Amino acid sequence: MLPNFWTIIGVILVIRIGHAERAANTDLRDDAPDMFEPRLSITVSAKDHRVEVSWYYSQYEEGDVIVVTDEDPVGIFRQKYPETPVEEMYREGSGLFEGGSGSGNGDEVEPSLLSVLPLYDPSSSNYDEIVTRSRRRVNVNWQYGPFYKDVLVELYPQDKQGWQTTDIVFDRSLPKKVTKYTSCYGYWATILRSDGRFVMKRCFRAYPTWMNDIRGKIENLRFKDLFIPGTHDSSSYTENFLPHNETIVTKYTLTQDDDIRTQLMHGIRYLDIRVGYYRASKPQFWANHGIAQQHPLHEVLQQIKDFVKETNEIVIVDIQEFPVGFGKTKDIHRLLVNFLHQELSDVLVGADISWRACLKQIWATKRNVLLAYDKGSIVYEFGSLLFESVEQRWPNKQNLNGLREYMVWNRKQMIGSFGSRPMAEMAELTPTGWGIFVDLYGGLRRMADQVNFAVSRWYASDFGAGANVVAVDFYRGTTIIDTALRWNSMKSVS
């Protein structure tokens, strides 16, 4: 029996190494085919909250049009001026917005014949007025429905794939209205043939219960086996913030636009939380970005607790870095762990279940928060409460090419890795200290817009097959959540 046992073990190892090598050796090409074609997505740029549209479909035909509406379009589409050539509808300065995700590194891109209004005055402080003005169409050609309603914007793609930033300003009041029953809301994109025939439709949407929705496919998998969408510096947001009012401080401290509850409602399941301790303050524990205080920690934890109780989703809360007030002893760490336990005790998964547990085992505990902690000696001391921290892989790159090179290198390091601890690819750019001082990059929003379009394309290609946790800045500017759900729906365990 012994030789047979080792034969079986050998076969298992060969299979697992083969899978690891396939993931590690995936070439990160910008022209890699989309694994989920046909694909049509709506995202939001970080810098100016512009609605973006991306597409990939091999059935492209010359003359196709992509229209954006603010409701689910019903009825037929028709043209107001059917005899007008497409070229005559195009206006110079057509709303291609420098700095959006679709514009890559900020270089000029070939316009895709976009019908829009002139850009709004960025000095305006009335966000609702900006949103309303950006919706007033004067030169669109397409209408829909029984009442001949104008579309918001129309694009004329020149290829089977593209990513375009429009001048439509995202209505930031909409995400706050999302509940566990929300799916599509706010904006719809539809691809039409030149004669108005329907090709494909997609919406901007939330995924509040995606884990439960595909529970039958993923419940026998570990977190290490899943594609988990996450956010970097998850608590670094300011409610109702206007990007046009940025200071040098907010440019390099804010990494998200949504509060924690809204992130979770949209499908984020990995939260990267940094904690500062302020002895003389009330409260004493804060969610930080570096030395910058963001929000009282108890507010962040309450949002997490309320969400998991409402949805029965499972969330990883990864306490990473301790930038202020912890000193060299363990005393403040112990205070923090006791505080975390006090705030989350009724939803915390006991760490004795370990990262090796499958989701079915976690759900069976009737608890939903895995509390990970980035200090090994404290994890050892509080072994019944804390999971070992997620292994964050940091590119620390300042441009898209550097990020790409790191991602390829990082995947090669995965070969032969058999541990159960999740690994996070931190898929964002990191400014240098000097770069922040001289504002070399224009802020984290601009940096996010330079890479979010590429990150989305990478993970929608076969590179996504090897993904585990993927954390991003300004996640609404990516398709990472939709992509994660598609990859997870393909996973199974015998």
Side-chain angles (χ1 to χ4, degrees):
M1 294 296 295
L2 189 59
N4 291 337
F5 170 79
W6 287 112
T7 299
I8 293 171
I9 293 297
V11 170
I12 292 174
L13 288 175
V14 167
I15 291 173
R16 296 196 65 176
I17 291 174
H19 284 310
E21 287 179 339
R22 184 175 62 181
N25 291 330
T26 299
D27 189 16
L28 241 184
R29 307 191 325 270
D30 285 333
D31 62 346
D34 194 308
M35 297 294 290
F36 306 107
E37 184 200 354
R39 190 181 184 93
L40 177 64
S41 302
I42 301 176
T43 52
V44 183
S45 70
K47 187 67 175 70
D48 282 82
H49 293 175
R50 303 297 181 112
V51 173
E52 306 169 313
V53 180
S54 60
W55 62 93
Y56 190 113
Y57 67 114
S58 59
Q59 294 78 27
Y60 161 79
E61 293 182 5
E62 186 176 354
D64 283 355
V65 59
I66 302 176
V67 298
V68 179
T69 59
D70 59 3
E71 62 184 11
D72 190 357
V74 296
I76 64 171
F77 285 87
R78 64 184 67 78
Q79 298 183 64
K80 289 189 288 186
Y81 316 111
E83 303 304 322
T84 305
V86 167
E87 290 78 6
E88 293 185 17
M89 298 178 214
Y90 174 67
R91 299 291 184 270
E92 192 168 349
S94 63
L96 290 174
F97 185 66
E98 184 265 341
S101 297
S103 54
N105 288 319
D107 300 329
E108 291 186 10
V109 294
E110 186 68 24
S112 59
L113 302 182
L114 173 64
S115 174
V116 295
L117 284 176
L119 301 182
Y120 64 78
D121 179 5
S123 64
S124 174
S125 60
N126 188 327
Y127 194 92
D128 293 336
E129 179 184 347
I130 291 172
V131 171
T132 300
R133 287 173 58 190
S134 78
R135 289 169 177 260
R136 293 174 186 158
R137 305 292 91 188
V138 294
N139 60 341
V140 292
N141 187 39
W142 285 89
Q143 298 176 320
Y144 65 96
F147 301 108
Y148 303 94
K149 185 174 180 178
D150 284 353
V151 301
L152 289 181
V153 72
E154 54 199 30
L155 302 92
Y156 294 87
Q158 305 299 295
D159 195 1
K160 69 177 182 180
Q161 61 182 318
W163 187 306
Q164 185 59 65
T165 305
T166 77
D167 73 337
I168 299 296
V169 180
F170 183 78
D171 185 348
R172 68 181 179 189
S173 69
L174 295 175
K176 301 293 288 186
K177 301 174 184 177
V178 169
T179 72
K180 72 175 183 177
Y181 304 107
T182 303
S183 56
C184 295
Y185 74 94
Y187 303 91
W188 282 256
T190 306
I191 300 179
L192 305 170
R193 297 300 187 209
S194 59
D195 60 2
R197 284 178 294 139
F198 174 87
V199 177
M200 179 178 16
K201 179 177 68 175
R202 295 290 186 272
C203 62
F204 188 83
R205 65 167 300 172
Y207 295 94
T209 57
W210 69 261
M211 299 179 90
N212 281 275
D213 295 341
I214 59 172
R215 183 168 176 168
K217 295 182 178 181
I218 65 174
E219 65 179 1
N220 292 316
L221 299 172
R222 307 167 301 167
F223 267 106
K224 181 65 178 289
D225 304 319
L226 292 171
F227 188 147
I228 304 297
T231 47
H232 160 240
D233 261 309
S234 307
S235 59
S236 297
Y237 61 88
T238 295
E239 297 275 6
N240 300 321
F241 184 76
L242 273 175
H244 302 301
N245 295 335
E246 281 196 310
T247 65
I248 192 64
V249 175
T250 61
K251 276 185 176 183
Y252 294 99
T253 56
L254 300 183
T255 58
Q256 307 299 331
D257 277 319
D258 293 336
D259 63 21
I260 297 298
R261 176 189 179 277
T262 305
Q263 292 177 39
L264 295 171
M265 282 290 181
H266 281 79
I268 296 299
R269 293 295 177 267
Y270 169 79
L271 298 172
D272 168 35
I273 307 294
R274 319 297 174 87
V275 179
Y277 174 73
Y278 301 85
R279 186 182 303 275
S281 169
K282 288 188 178 181
Q284 294 180 315
F285 289 111
W286 285 71
N288 276 30
H289 184 173
I291 62 173
Q293 287 177 269
Q294 298 295 322
H295 303 278
L297 184 58
H298 74 87
E299 293 182 4
V300 170
L301 300 178
Q302 187 64 50
Q303 291 181 63
I304 297 169
K305 182 163 64 173
D306 290 346
F307 171 79
V308 299
K309 285 186 172 182
E310 181 181 1
T311 63
N312 195 37
E313 294 288 281
I314 302 174
V315 177
I316 300 174
V317 179
D318 197 15
I319 308 298
Q320 288 271 350
E321 298 186 4
F322 309 93
V324 175
F326 281 79
K328 296 182 179 180
T329 70
K330 299 179 184 178
D331 294 343
I332 308 304
H333 286 282
R334 294 185 179 112
L335 284 177
L336 175 57
V337 173
N338 287 326
F339 175 78
L340 293 168
H341 181 247
Q342 173 185 321
E343 294 290 315
L344 298 174
S345 59
D346 53 341
V347 294
L348 281 182
V349 177
D352 53 319
I353 202 169
S354 86
W355 284 121
R356 291 186 295 275
C358 65
L359 269 61
K360 185 176 183 178
Q361 293 172 295
I362 296 172
W363 266 311
T365 69
K366 306 297 184 183
R367 294 165 180 261
N368 302 72
V369 175
L370 284 72
L371 183 60
Y373 203 87
D374 190 27
K375 191 171 180 65
S377 60
I378 294 297
V379 173
Y380 180 79
E381 185 173 334
F382 293 89
S384 62
L385 297 176
L386 303 178
F387 286 74
E388 187 180 8
S389 65
V390 172
E391 182 183 356
Q392 293 186 343
R393 297 292 182 92
W394 277 98
N396 287 321
K397 302 299 181 182
Q398 291 74 52
N399 57 61
L400 182 60
N401 286 335
L403 182 63
R404 179 191 289 106
E405 291 171 1
Y406 177 86
M407 290 295 191
V408 173
W409 174 86
N410 179 58
R411 284 294 177 86
K412 291 179 180 179
Q413 310 311 304
M414 294 171 57
I415 297 176
S417 175
F418 306 114
S420 58
R421 178 188 179 191
M423 186 273 289
E425 290 173 317
M426 310 303 286
E428 64 273 336
L429 299 182
T430 305
T432 64
W434 172 252
I436 294 174
F437 181 74
V438 300
D439 193 18
L440 179 62
Y441 315 103
L444 297 179
R445 292 178 183 275
R446 185 176 177 84
M447 297 178 83
D449 282 340
Q450 290 173 356
V451 299
N452 278 347
F453 80 108
V455 167
S456 297
R457 290 172 64 179
W458 295 343
Y459 286 100
S461 73
D462 53 4
F463 184 77
N468 186 197
V469 178
V470 179
V472 295
D473 284 349
F474 301 102
Y475 73 96
R476 286 197 318 224
T478 76
T479 60
I480 206 70
I481 297 172
D482 176 69
T483 297
L485 269 61
R486 290 173 181 242
W487 278 117
N488 287 334
S489 294
M490 296 169 61
K491 297 177 184 289
S492 64
V493 63
S494 56

